Amino acid sequence: MRSQAPAPTSAPATSKWDAAIGEGWDVAGNANGGYLLTIAARALGTALGRPDPVTVTAHFLAPGRPGDVTVEAHVVKQGRRFGTGTATMWTGSRPLLTCVGSFGDLSGAHDDAPELVDRTPPELPPAEACTELVPTDTFPPPFVGQVELRLHPDDSGFGSGRGSGRARMRGWFRLRDGEVCDTLALLCAVDAFPPTVFNANLPIAWAPTLELTAHVRARPAPGWLRCEFSSHFITGGFLEADGEVWDSRGHLVAQSRQLALVPRA
């Protein structure tokens, strides 16, 4: 996630930050939504002076293409543990996304906190036994060249017309070149996998995201992340996708839900 760090152009409580959408982060010509969200969230977290997103909800307004963008961040409230604000990303006078988020410090997320966890990480073969996605000009898209994705073999047959019949995607995620995945990168991870609808034996096409909410529970330990995304309601032209991300120590580090458009036949 070595995107250009936003540079401040004015002072809080409302501030503007210059950033850039990099080349090669696209899906079908448009920048991946989770990647765009990390740029906006980086600016918002910096404006709030808090290192970790805890809950962020983004609404995607227009496709993003490589080039310069501006992020306008507004501090709504600073509390003892969390700061909350909004951010809108612009290309010229055109808004690309707007989000609201609460940020804090998750460095001690597992210290002395009561726990009740009745789910376990998804069962996956070792990463080297899973299907690696390698980018092409069409599918897989250029975006997957920026991260490492390995799909569960049972969930990777959709490309040859052998979808599992269940709207689910499971697999491994990590950043390339040994870069450590921080809490901002988790916002990219929750939107990195192929749409769940690909395995539902429905028309295969990219499913544009309308809204994405991410809950970040803790800073991930180094190593591969185990991910699972599933949909249960594909109706009315929309689908929801619920996601879980677990780190190498078996801790749940992020959850997500997004609303997307169902591909047309």
Side-chain angles (χ1 to χ4, degrees), residues 100-176:
V100 59
S102 292
F103 286 66
D105 186 341
L106 296 177
S107 57
H110 293 286
D111 295 346
D112 301 322
E115 289 194 353
L116 172 62
V117 180
D118 66 0
R119 287 180 59 85
T120 58
E123 293 290 337
L124 296 173
E128 59 271 17
C130 289
T131 304
E132 181 179 6
L133 295 187
V134 179
T136 66
D137 291 337
T138 54
F139 182 84
F143 165 76
V144 301
Q146 305 292 343
V147 298
E148 289 193 69
L149 290 181
R150 308 286 179 93
L151 297 185
H152 193 298
D154 293 345
D155 298 343
S156 62
F158 56 85
S160 55
R162 295 179 290 104
S164 67
R166 181 175 179 181
R168 179 175 65 176
M169 285 287 172
R170 296 164 294 171
W172 300 95
F173 173 95
R174 70 180 178 186
L175 301 178
R176 290 196 178 272

Side-chain angles (χ1 to χ4, degrees), residues 4 8 18 27 40 42-43 56 82 88 97 100 114 130 162 168-170 176 193 198 200 202-204 212 221 248 263:
Q4 176 183 341
D18 294 328
V27 176
R42 186 182 299 277
V56 180
F82 305 108
T88 301
L97 70 85
V100 59
C130 289
R162 295 179 290 104
R168 179 175 65 176
M169 285 287 172
R170 296 164 294 171
R176 290 196 178 272
F193 282 72
F198 281 15
L202 293 174
I204 289 181
L212 170 64
S248 59

